Amino acid sequence: MELFESSQNYLKRIVILEKELGKDKVHAIDVANAMSFSRASVSVAMHRLEEAGYIEFGPDKELILTKAGRYEGERIYERHEVLTKAFIDLGVNPKTAYDDACAVEHDLSEETYQAFKNKYGDK
């Protein structure tokens, strides 16, 4: 399954929620609330991600990222963090920097992203 931007955003949000709530505490309702989406929309998306092998459901219906899901979620999350930091460093206000990072994190070439990461990552 090719990961579209929306799927990448779901995986990124699960990674963020794991950091906030704990790895075994994230449920579809948490994703729905965090992204301001309906429970039904998120439920459909989670089942598609499960079918594609990116998440599994735990015994309490918690969302568990598979190895592939974790890789993709953390990859997009890292891009978002580096780009947000770079935009803020350029003088963009934090809210706009956050939103703009969301807009470009999916489409930036690996070469350009690595240049941003070399300059702004892990500082």
Side-chain angles (χ1 to χ4, degrees):
M1 169 184 166
E2 178 184 345
L3 269 180
F4 293 102
E5 185 174 323
S6 61
S7 295
Q8 290 175 336
N9 283 336
Y10 281 119
L11 295 172
K12 177 180 75 173
R13 181 56 57 186
I14 293 169
V15 168
I16 292 168
L17 287 168
E18 283 180 347
K19 293 176 185 311
E20 294 172 358
L21 304 174
K23 269 193 177 172
D24 59 345
K25 305 292 185 203
V26 180
H27 293 83
I29 187 65
D30 301 314
V31 175
N33 290 338
M35 297 179 80
S36 299
F37 292 161
S38 73
R39 292 174 80 171
S41 294
V42 172
S43 179
V44 168
M46 294 304 109
H47 285 290
R48 285 187 183 145
L49 287 170
E50 179 189 33
E51 289 171 5
Y54 290 101
I55 68 165
E56 297 172 346
F57 291 96
D60 294 322
K61 300 294 183 197
E62 68 274 16
L63 305 175
I64 302 166
L65 292 170
T66 64
K67 185 176 180 179
R70 179 155 312 283
Y71 172 81
E72 287 299 326
E74 289 182 358
R75 183 181 72 81
I76 294 298
Y77 177 69
E78 178 187 80
R79 280 177 165 244
H80 183 87
E81 291 294 294
V82 168
L83 293 170
T84 299
K85 193 183 303 185
F87 296 157
I88 290 170
D89 190 63
L90 292 171
V92 177
N93 82 57
K95 168 76 171 104
T96 302
Y98 182 92
D99 292 345
D100 287 350
C102 239
V104 300
E105 66 197 15
H106 308 278
D107 298 322
L108 210 55
S109 72
E110 188 60 27
E111 178 184 356
T112 301
Y113 169 68
Q114 286 302 320
F116 273 99
K117 185 177 177 182
N118 290 340
K119 183 154 178 89
Y120 298 101
D122 296 328
K123 289 184 178 181

